[in-house]
Amino acid sequence: MRRSDIVNVRRAVDANIGRRVKVRANKGRHKYAVADGVIMESYPSIFTVKIDAGPDTDGRLVSYSYTDVLTKDVQLLICK
């Protein structure tokens, strides 16, 4: 993993702040959490996503690191 890769991921997240996303996060042992939300803010090492309230989740703020995206532990799909 190169520093330039992390910078590229951060730039992509910065460019989509305020946009709706579908988040697929690896919870281990072949289990995934899937939720819809909005990218709220980005920081030097992490970014935050406001998860929508739904039948399985309550509306909450979740943080992920840019390395999670690079290692594919977290996948983001930007909604149009």
Side-chain angles (χ1 to χ4, degrees):
M1 197 172 351
R2 295 186 317 248
R3 179 159 174 77
S4 62
D5 294 337
I6 294 172
V7 170
N8 289 337
V9 171
R10 182 166 183 208
R11 284 183 186 149
V13 170
D14 285 343
N16 289 294
I17 289 178
R19 302 224 16 220
R20 296 200 55 75
V21 292
K22 184 174 287 283
V23 180
R24 183 174 186 244
N26 185 353
K27 294 178 66 175
R29 295 194 176 259
H30 306 290
K31 296 179 186 173
Y32 291 90
V34 178
D36 293 328
V38 176
I39 299 174
M40 298 302 288
E41 295 186 65
S42 72
Y43 299 97
S45 298
I46 62 168
F47 62 96
T48 57
V49 177
K50 173 76 171 165
I51 302 296
D52 296 340
D56 297 334
T57 61
D58 53 344
R60 64 184 188 276
L61 194 64
V62 181
S63 64
Y64 301 106
S65 71
Y66 302 111
T67 56
D68 289 339
V69 176
L70 278 176
T71 59
K72 298 188 180 172
D73 285 338
V74 173
Q75 297 173 357
L76 297 175
L77 176 63
I78 307 298
C79 299
K80 300 269 177 173

